[in-house]
Amino acid sequence: MTLAGRLPTTRWSLVLQAAGDEVSDSIAKASLEELCAAYWPALYGYLRRRGRTPHDAEDLVQGFFSDLLARDSIGSADATRGRFRAFLYTALDHYVANQHRRQTAVRRGGRETVLSLQGDQRQAIERDGWFETEVVDRHGDPQSLFDRQWAKCLLRQTLDGLRDEYQRRGQAEWFDRLAPLLTGAEPDTQQRSALAEELGLSRTALKVAIHRLRVRYRQRLLDAVAQTVEDPCQSGEERQWLFRALDVGRPS
Amino acid sequence: MTDRPCPRCGNPVPVDSGASGPTQCPRCLLRPPWDRPAPIAITLGPGQSFVPPSIEELSEHIVGYDVNAKIGQGGMGAVYSGRQKSLDRPVAIKILPPQIASRPGFRERFAREGRALAKLNHPNIVAVYDFGQAGPYAMLVMELVEGANLREVLAQGRLSQAEALEIIPQLCDALSYAHEEGVVHRDIKPENLLFDARGRLKITDFGLAKLLATKSDSSETESDSREADADAEPADQDSPTRGVVGTIHYMAPEQLEKPRSVDHRADLYALGVVFYEMLTGELPIGRFEPPSSRVNLPPAGSSGPPGISIDIRLDEVVLKALEKQPEKRYANAAEILSDLHSIERQPDAATDSHPDESGDLRQNARRYAATASNFASTAYRRGRESATDLQHSLLKHPSVDGPAVVSAVLLIGGCGLAMFLSSEPRGEFAALLTFVVACVAALILARLALSREERQRTDEGNLLIRFVLGAEYLMVAGVAVVAPVIVAIVTWIAIQGDVREPGQSGWFRDWVHVVSVATIISAAFWLTVLVLHVLFPAALRYLFKPFVGRISVRAAALSTLLLVLLITGAAGTLISMPYRPYVEGEPVPPELIDQLSPRDAAVARNVERQKRTYQDLMEQADLERRRIPEPSGLGGRRSEKVIVPEESREVRKR
């Protein structure tokens, strides 16, 4: 079952549907906050790869989100508004271009820190090879670089969420042992029996566990993609877009 | 930080130096390799066009249960997950299409069957908690199994023998229990075999196929008394195949042909299909190979040893369950179980046995010993594997392949020995004897192997048998093909004389005659064989087994027509180019000598030549006579007188 069939509204659609009244505005704001919190590693990773220092990048993301959340509503007739990712890229681009002016404005008026990034979270990203923050890429296409970081952020978020789910059930070890099977080749008989023994499962139970993990992962992944598009029907397209963006990194 | 290419898609994957282990390829995480629609087997039945209600719609009709989500839909309705409010336990709610519930008499049958199903109490059968009516839908409330079904498990690749043997005994046990209770499943397939989180098998949809089966052909005799009242129902046209409910590849042949007379052995057939699919990942369709030969060979292109090997004795179990005739199958599931147990009790020597590594040696020595024994056991295993491979490929059926190999060796060896003996001085007789004895012995052995092969009904024929028999038959058949031609030519030469060589006058007529006569005689011979084969089809089929089959009327008619045409054509040619009759002594004009038969032509030519010689001599004699006045001619004349009359006398005699 896809999420598209179950959830007619996505977070991003809730953001876009803010109608000016108190209820819908507060829902919109809460949804936007959730989305920003989920995707700030993508923005941070992007800025780092564009050559910003860790401190600089953190400041920029913080400033950008504060600015975004302080807005009354999201840019009205924006061509990119169907997808949160595309919207965020354009807005970030704009923000960084006007960084200086905004910084002075902030200094003058002071700003309310709506979204606080925790320092250790930032360091975790720096340590994690996932976003390749050390490798500066000033010459590549910024848009596809952004999309790649976005996709990685989406996947990391999905995996982390899934791990939490397993941990809550006391099955964190299962997750750590089985997660490589999300992409790796199917294990052969010997690997399967070793794995089953290690986890204290019967051979059939191991296969069931692998299946359940994959089903849950897929559900979470589709769910996460769907949250960033206005209409759940677009999530297939969005996933395909990200898939292609990741392919750009293939060495020619 | 370095990149390594993803083994699947080739995209660079950052290698994580952190503690969280190697990073996975993001591209493969976004579109995982396993994330593709898997084929599912759909039950043929009246529920094909059924649009299941939404959760809200269904909730309105159901009292006492919360409906949470739709978890499946098939040919027999739709399944929802839910919760029983009173006992606060998770349940699966199955609803049947309304077109079934609205059938007259359905409620009574449903009540009766529902009670029978609810009585089934077995750890490997999904328990039925409740049944009843939910608005227009007939509803069954069952135990909720959260895990995976066999189809989903098989999506991870075929199972090893050990994995399959974890499941099949549970299936046998459950079927055996249900059959004893008088309930036949009728729709065993991977989609109906569920596993809970502990890997325990849970069979679902027991007996539903029977409940959903529509009325079948009324002319069919009804043996099941419980079905008698059902026959009173008007024929239901909803189902595309009337009376048939089941899943096409898992249905026993009799289930399609006579859906009403199906008994528990149909379930055993489906079990065979499922077992085969588990081991090979394929369905046993058409001329399928036994699982061990399907799996034990390494996949094409790979040189490594086979990853999974299957005990050859399991083949027999699977093939017996898959027998087309129910009588030839296992009589019950318990028999399968006991066969599997006896296979498990006597493990095949080929399956690996790691040496026991425990021993109270010191750490290091133990590690070395373990390495050495691992190495030895790997080598041993490889050796055994390749030996079994060889055994499997050569001697799949020892009782057939044994005599086949011996017969081939005999035939080839006998021929070789005969050739060797014939080169020895005065070895011809010994050579002939050896050859004949070898041929006869090889023939007998090959025929023995063939008859055993037929009894075993193996799917692929043994090539060696066919090679030996083919060679032997050709020795006989070759003579049969050539003999009529040779006989025809020899007889013709005996009657008409030696055939004139091409270029000699009249040669063309000779060749036309020889070819026509040979054609007529050979064609007549084959016509006789054909007629005999049509009249006594068993004779030739037995003689030249397995190469000669029954001839169809059409082929026989066509061949007869062809042979008759050949005979007529040859006879026509013969008649249109006859030899000229010749009576010895009668003069034949030289231009017509070509039209005589070779023998007559030779005689006629001889006569002509002698005539000419005689005439020449007479002329010479005349000349001599005119020269008489010479003085000393007497002696010369006398001598001539002696010679001439002799020759002319001879001519005259003729």
Side-chain angles (χ1 to χ4, degrees), chain B residues 528-595:
Chain B
T528 321
V529 170
L530 187 68
V531 169
L532 282 177
H533 187 42
V534 170
L535 289 181
F536 311 104
L540 275 184
R541 264 167 67 205
Y542 179 75
L543 273 180
F544 293 105
K545 202 157 55 175
F547 299 111
V548 174
R550 185 182 289 276
I551 191 166
S552 70
V553 178
R554 213 169 136 193
L558 272 176
S559 316
T560 314
L561 185 68
L562 182 75
L563 289 171
V564 169
L565 273 179
L566 265 178
I567 294 177
T568 333
T573 320
L574 208 56
I575 291 167
S576 68
M577 275 180 103
Y579 284 123
R580 209 180 150 78
Y582 174 68
V583 180
E584 200 179 306
E586 267 183 21
V588 179
E591 69 273 10
L592 291 181
I593 277 192
D594 291 354
Q595 297 178 7

Side-chain angles (χ1 to χ4, degrees), chain B residues 65-365:
Chain B
Y65 297 95
D66 288 327
V67 185
N68 296 334
K70 196 181 92 180
I71 51 179
Q73 186 190 351
M76 304 216 281
V79 188
Y80 299 77
S81 68
R83 183 161 280 279
Q84 187 174 14
K85 290 178 192 163
S86 58
L87 294 173
D88 190 31
R89 62 176 172 181
V91 293
I93 300 167
K94 177 153 202 145
I95 60 165
L96 307 180
Q99 58 262 49
I100 295 173
S102 59
R103 278 189 216 147
F106 176 81
R107 276 165 192 263
E108 291 74 40
R109 282 179 75 202
F110 187 52
R112 196 176 54 217
E113 296 291 336
R115 271 180 220 122
L117 301 184
K119 269 186 205 140
L120 293 181
N121 178 15
H122 190 275
N124 298 121
I125 296 177
V126 171
V128 173
Y129 293 156
D130 193 4
F131 71 96
Q133 204 71 23
Y137 311 105
M139 168 188 83
L140 269 172
V141 181
M142 301 174 292
E143 177 187 0
L144 179 69
V145 179
E146 276 180 305
N149 66 34
L150 180 59
R151 175 73 62 210
E152 290 158 342
V153 165
L154 283 175
Q156 293 170 32
R158 66 170 184 240
L159 306 185
S160 71
Q161 179 179 320
E163 285 164 335
L165 287 182
E166 239 179 40
I167 298 167
I168 292 290
Q170 301 179 61
L171 181 54
C172 289
D173 203 35
L175 283 181
S176 174
Y177 166 80
H179 293 164
E180 273 172 27
E181 295 290 309
V183 182
V184 179
H185 191 295
R186 287 191 182 214
D187 195 19
I188 291 283
K189 58 173 175 175
E191 284 78 3
N192 283 340
L193 304 180
L194 314 181
F195 301 100
D196 64 9
R198 288 165 57 193
R200 245 186 340 196
L201 174 73
K202 295 272 183 185
I203 309 177
T204 188
D205 283 359
F206 237 104
L208 275 196
K210 183 179 180 186
L211 191 61
L212 299 198
T214 53
K215 189 185 159 300
S216 70
D217 196 347
S218 55
S219 64
E220 207 165 288
T221 51
E222 186 56 69
S223 54
D224 188 348
S225 62
R226 291 175 66 186
E227 302 282 347
D229 59 336
D231 262 15
E233 295 172 17
D236 192 5
Q237 304 290 336
D238 286 348
S239 160
T241 44
R242 287 195 306 140
V244 175
V245 173
T247 304
I248 203 79
H249 292 309
Y250 301 87
M251 278 160 92
E254 75 268 17
Q255 210 170 347
L256 262 176
E257 287 154 14
K258 296 179 199 161
R260 286 277 149 162
S261 65
V262 163
D263 63 10
H264 68 281
R265 288 171 297 186
D267 283 353
L268 302 187
Y269 180 89
L271 179 145
V273 179
V274 169
F275 202 176
Y276 188 92
E277 198 179 4
M278 278 181 182
L279 295 173
T280 65
E282 284 165 25
L283 285 166
I285 301 172
R287 287 168 64 87
F288 56 90
E289 291 171 89
S292 70
S293 56
R294 191 90 205 83
V295 171
N296 288 0
L297 298 173
S302 83
S303 54
I308 303 175
S309 70
I310 290 178
D311 193 323
I312 210 161
R313 293 170 296 175
L314 282 187
D315 288 357
E316 287 171 27
V317 178
V318 175
L319 295 181
K320 190 167 176 190
L322 284 174
E323 283 286 359
K324 299 259 179 284
Q325 279 118 11
E327 310 81 58
K328 287 190 179 169
R329 275 175 225 148
Y330 282 99
N332 53 55
E335 272 186 16
I336 304 181
L337 197 58
S338 80
D339 270 12
L340 291 180
H341 277 325
S342 67
I343 289 177
E344 274 182 309
R345 265 202 304 277
Q346 302 168 313
D348 193 21
T351 54
D352 79 26
S353 51
H354 279 288
D356 191 10
E357 286 174 11
S358 68
D360 56 355
L361 292 165
R362 276 183 307 176
Q363 200 74 359
N364 257 353

Side-chain angles (χ1 to χ4, degrees), chain B residues 3-17:
Chain B
D3 281 358
R4 66 182 161 87
C6 166
R8 185 176 295 275
C9 68
N11 256 300
V13 180
V15 174
D16 189 8
S17 50

